Each structure stands twice: as C-alpha cells, then as structure tokens.
Amino acid sequence: SYNMSNNNTQPKEYIIVDVVSDASWPWCFIGKRRLESAISQIDIGDVPVITRYRPWLLRPNLARDPTKYVDKRESYIKMFKGDVGRFNAMVKRITDIGLEDDVNIAFKYEGDIGTTINCSQLIMWAETYGLQQHYDLKEAIMSAYHEQAKNIALPEVMLDCVRQVDGLKEHVEEAEMVLQTDAFKKAVADQIIDAQKKLNVNGVPHFFITAVNGDVARSFNFPGAQDTRFFTNALSKLNAIVHETDASKL
C-alpha cells in the first residue's frame, strides 16, 4: 500500500486498487491477503500501488440498530436457510484457504456479529490521516473479527483497533467522536449507493484496478476473492500499461 499524504505531488504513474468490501465477510479478508501477496510478488519498479477500501453492508438489517448483535455461527446458518451441513462445508473451505501461504489467516467462527456501518465510518475517517492509516485500520478491524472472534460492532473493540495503528493511536478521542456523532455515516451510505447504482456492484469483494499514466487511465474490475495468480496477472498487465511510453497506445 502507498501513502499519498507523504508526498507533496501525486505521482504521474501509479496503479490504484479500489476494493468494495465488508469487514465481516471472510472472502473480503481472503481477497485482501491475496491482493497483498500479488503486489509483493510482481516487480513494478517504482510505480506505487495504492489500495483504498470502500464500504459495503452485507447485513443491512443490522445497521438499523447498531446495538443489536447476533451469534456469528447462527447468522451464517440462517444465511444458508438452516442448512448446518452447508455452514460446516463453508467453515472447512475457508479454514483451509486461511492456511495457505499467500493468505495466512487463522479464522475463528465463534462470537457475535453486528453492523459494520460504524467500522466503515472509522475506516473512512482514518483516510483523512493518510492511506496507510486507512489501510492499517481495515487490517486491524478484519483481524479482530476473523482471527480474534471480537465483535467489531462494539465501540470499545473498534477504538482498540484504532489504538493499534501508527498515526491514529494519538487520535482515539476523535475516533470516539466520529462514532458518537455519526460523522461519516452519510458519506458511507453515499459510497454504498454509488457502488450499487453506478458501479453495479452486487456482491463483495469487488475490485476496481486502474493504471494511471499522466492524464491517461485504463481500468477493469472483477468480483470475488480471485486466487493470487489472477491478481498477479492483472497487476502485471496494468503495470505494462503504466510503463507504456507512447500514451496513444493506451
């Protein structure tokens, strides 16, 4: 990831990855790790890869009452219309993928789940301090939920994640105010509506990858936590475009 706020001028050439994602969905965490793995594997020279996370609500009904929590396991079984076998199959598959070298997530399935709208507010707020802070807070929140079985709808859990991030830990009181005043709630809702209506996103994760070379940009998008090789190929193709000297060929 790349922190644009550390530079006075935006680079002329870069690759930007916008990810529409819900922190509570295992495939969003898997997609995040596979993308990171792909970025670390390809040789892109000095071209920065900028990653930004955009909100999504997988369980919009929970957002109506931020103090309502449900058992994580029961919520999944309900999603599968009571089919425990399908839930167990999902757990096995996700646990196995988590053990892969390019994913490395120790998934847990106990604990409660609530709305992720307030996590999304804080992740958006973090971006006001820089993209690295935004990125690191997303990681801390996802890890708290998926690896530590914490309820990321609880303010104390979210604020504990803020305390773990360099560049945010000094601003915990401000983060608390964001939660108390719903400072970014409308902005989060607007981005979700944009994703649905303008970008035609209907499931997460959904990746939008854009290569920028001066005034010329080329992008493509795809749904799902594709395997790392898919990300590597996509980034390599766009990297070639970024380095294309004759912009008319883009």
Side-chain angles (χ1 to χ4, degrees), residues 43-206:
D43 178 17
I44 50 171
D46 56 359
V47 173
V49 178
I50 302 149
T51 311
R52 300 183 302 196
Y53 283 91
R54 298 296 173 241
W56 188 258
L57 277 182
L58 270 176
R59 297 173 174 88
N61 56 320
L62 286 176
R64 292 191 192 103
D65 180 3
T67 60
K68 185 184 172 195
Y69 314 123
V70 294
D71 179 86
K72 192 195 291 191
R73 189 174 180 278
E74 282 174 21
S75 128
Y76 277 125
I77 292 168
K78 192 175 175 185
M79 198 185 279
F80 292 130
K81 299 183 168 51
D83 189 335
V84 178
R86 277 184 71 197
F87 167 73
N88 289 336
M90 183 199 83
V91 166
K92 183 180 186 321
R93 186 168 178 222
I94 286 172
T95 302
D96 288 348
I97 290 171
L99 296 171
E100 293 169 7
D101 287 345
D102 57 348
V103 178
N104 194 23
I105 302 167
F107 281 105
K108 288 194 171 131
Y109 302 91
E110 57 270 19
D112 289 338
I113 180 171
T115 183
T116 53
I117 196 156
N118 292 326
C119 291
S120 294
Q121 285 199 74
L122 285 184
I123 290 161
M124 193 179 281
W125 161 78
E127 200 176 340
T128 65
Y129 284 97
L131 280 164
Q132 190 66 50
Q133 285 73 21
H134 162 79
Y135 191 84
D136 290 348
L137 184 60
K138 178 79 172 180
E139 172 68 28
I141 286 169
M142 284 181 133
S143 178
Y145 178 75
H146 294 286
E147 298 188 291
Q148 299 154 48
K150 290 180 179 173
N151 180 358
I152 53 171
L154 291 171
E156 59 266 32
V157 171
M158 289 183 269
L159 294 172
D160 198 41
C161 291
V162 171
R163 286 185 193 97
Q164 292 169 37
V165 176
D166 287 339
L168 292 183
K169 57 178 80 156
E170 309 83 354
H171 307 291
V172 177
E173 282 179 19
E174 189 186 329
E176 206 164 357
M177 281 302 294
V178 167
L179 294 177
Q180 284 169 10
T181 61
D182 282 335
F184 287 80
K185 196 169 188 178
K186 185 183 182 307
V188 165
D190 287 348
Q191 281 201 359
I192 292 168
I193 290 163
D194 262 8
Q196 289 171 325
K197 302 220 166 131
K198 290 187 188 164
L199 303 174
N200 299 316
V201 173
N202 54 27
V204 287
H206 199 114

